[in-house]
Amino acid sequence: MMDNLIKIRDISSQYDVTARRLRYYEDMGLLNSIRSEEVSYRLYDENAVRRLEQILILRKLNISIKDIQRIFKASGSEVVLDVLGKKVDNIDEEVSLLHELKGIVLDFIKDIEKVNFTDDSDIKQLYDKAKEIETQVTNIDYIGKPSNVNRLIEITDKLDKKVPDVMVVRIPEFKAVTSGLHSWEEIFKPGGYMFQLWQYFHLFKPIFFDCLDFALPKDDKGEMICAVKDGVTSADVGPFELIDFPGGLYAMAVSIDEDDESIQKVHDKISKWVESTNFEVDNSRSFMFNMPFLDEENEYNNDIERGLGYKQMQRYVPIKLKDGI
């Protein structure tokens, strides 16, 4: 029996999917593993492997976890056909919107091509021309075309619906107890450093969105820090150490906790978003993440998770103003 089962690390390697992501699929009820008293790791049979392949294909088609749950719960093919049909409709709509957006941009290009800037044109002339074009664009019909600025905004809003909203936040300075730098396995395993830190929960205080802790990745390891109340001393948290966390500016967005694909997409989009601003990534500091509204006993926080169908993870990328700004 055991000979026909595949270890989690082998599945992870064969399908290029992290063990963390596999566990997430199990938590969402999409995948089943087999546990044995003989081994401490998860094992998968043939049915589980086929199910994983289905999940990966549907995720490549950008089908949501919620819709995949619906598909697997259904007995026939009606649900999967409905989900894929709506996906086709969404693609058709985006293609149509992109085509219309292309026409608007081409109209802008034609108008701008009529503008001749001489070598001695200064910023004032450029500004005046920009204001003139802005006035034209805000007319009900832009240069006789049916598409106006309101339609442009509507189109771009619809096309950007998958891009996470990014918020620039300033995390204040605070005193924290630190786990020290360890492997993630040592931090998160039962009885690990995170569990040991929570023994001092009565000494902690919230910093941001009811959060009192942050995880800071460093290479392939990480550090957990928890904000402590005023007056807490090193003697109170021994053998752990207290540090002064400097805080600072961060670009923040929300991903799905434990879904590595969602986390990576959000992180990449934050970094790309930063490039379009007067900020730049501050490489002297580590990015970090945490869970908002950590108090799971609070009924309002449970409402958030029930409404979304998943736990939120906040991703923070350290930023600073570009030189000269």
Side-chain angles (χ1 to χ4, degrees), residues 208-214 252-257 289-296 301-302 304-305 308 310-316:
F208 200 72
F209 289 126
D210 285 349
C211 297
L212 43 82
D213 71 331
F214 294 90
M252 185 205 80
V254 178
S255 65
I256 301 173
D257 179 44
F289 58 90
N290 65 6
M291 305 273 289
F293 310 112
L294 194 60
D295 182 6
E296 295 182 352
N301 299 341
N302 284 331
I304 294 173
E305 184 179 340
L308 292 173
Y310 58 84
K311 292 182 179 179
Q312 301 174 99
M313 173 185 284
Q314 291 173 169
R315 201 78 168 170
Y316 303 82

Side-chain angles (χ1 to χ4, degrees), residues 11-12 19 55 60 71 82 102 149 158 167 177 224 238 256 259 322:
I11 287 285
S12 177
I55 294 169
K60 286 294 183 184
I71 290 170
D82 176 66
K102 178 181 177 182
V149 69
K158 286 184 177 180
M167 176 188 296
V177 58
M224 291 287 298
I256 301 173
D259 184 346
K322 293 178 180 176

Side-chain angles (χ1 to χ4, degrees), residues 9-39:
R9 66 170 177 265
D10 295 330
I11 287 285
S12 177
S13 174
Q14 182 178 348
Y15 290 94
D16 192 26
V17 55
T18 64
R20 175 186 170 93
R21 193 165 153 204
L22 289 170
R23 289 192 293 269
Y24 171 69
Y25 290 154
E26 284 195 48
D27 291 342
M28 293 295 102
L30 302 179
L31 194 63
N32 293 318
S33 65
I34 297 171
R35 298 297 188 89
S36 170
E37 295 180 358
E38 302 173 25
V39 294

Side-chain angles (χ1 to χ4, degrees), residues 278-289:
N278 288 327
F279 293 109
E280 61 185 358
V281 175
D282 184 354
N283 292 314
S284 68
R285 296 181 287 147
S286 172
F287 74 87
M288 56 190 190
F289 58 90

Side-chain angles (χ1 to χ4, degrees), residues 102-296:
K102 178 181 177 182
I104 294 174
V105 172
L106 287 174
D107 284 339
F108 288 166
I109 290 173
K110 290 176 183 177
D111 197 51
I112 291 172
E113 283 175 343
K114 299 174 185 177
V115 180
N116 293 315
F117 297 109
T118 61
D119 293 338
D120 59 353
S121 294
D122 57 18
I123 296 297
K124 179 66 167 61
Q125 289 173 300
L126 182 60
Y127 176 81
D128 289 342
K129 187 58 191 176
K131 294 301 292 182
E132 178 185 332
I133 293 176
E134 180 184 15
T135 302
Q136 292 176 336
V137 172
T138 53
N139 290 336
I140 296 300
D141 292 307
Y142 173 67
I143 58 172
K145 302 290 184 179
S147 299
N148 55 34
V149 69
N150 292 329
R151 182 57 179 159
L152 175 62
I153 293 172
E154 182 182 346
I155 290 172
T156 52
D157 280 349
K158 286 184 177 180
L159 292 174
D160 284 346
K161 63 182 180 295
K162 294 187 181 68
V163 179
D165 292 329
V166 178
M167 176 188 296
V168 175
V169 297
R170 186 183 298 278
I171 304 296
E173 299 178 15
F174 61 88
K175 189 174 291 292
V177 58
T178 174
S179 67
L181 193 61
H182 302 281
S183 70
W184 290 115
E185 182 181 1
E186 291 176 308
I187 290 175
F188 292 124
K189 70 180 182 181
Y193 287 98
M194 185 175 71
F195 173 82
Q196 296 172 39
L197 280 178
W198 287 116
Q199 305 308 303
Y200 301 100
F201 183 83
H202 61 287
L203 301 178
F204 298 161
K205 68 176 183 179
I207 292 294
F208 200 72
F209 289 126
D210 285 349
C211 297
L212 43 82
D213 71 331
F214 294 90
L216 288 74
K218 295 181 180 179
D219 298 324
D220 59 344
K221 296 184 178 181
E223 176 186 17
M224 291 287 298
I225 63 172
C226 297
V228 296
K229 298 175 181 176
D230 296 341
V232 172
T233 67
S234 297
D236 296 323
V237 297
F240 292 108
E241 296 181 2
L242 289 179
I243 62 169
D244 292 316
F245 185 73
L249 289 176
Y250 292 85
M252 185 205 80
V254 178
S255 65
I256 301 173
D257 179 44
E258 295 186 345
D259 184 346
D260 285 351
E261 188 174 9
S262 168
I263 292 168
Q264 190 58 54
K265 282 183 178 180
V266 168
H267 189 91
D268 292 343
K269 287 177 180 178
I270 294 175
S271 299
K272 187 173 182 180
W273 177 87
V274 170
E275 294 175 0
S276 68
T277 70
N278 288 327
F279 293 109
E280 61 185 358
V281 175
D282 184 354
N283 292 314
S284 68
R285 296 181 287 147
S286 172
F287 74 87
M288 56 190 190
F289 58 90
N290 65 6
M291 305 273 289
F293 310 112
L294 194 60
D295 182 6
E296 295 182 352

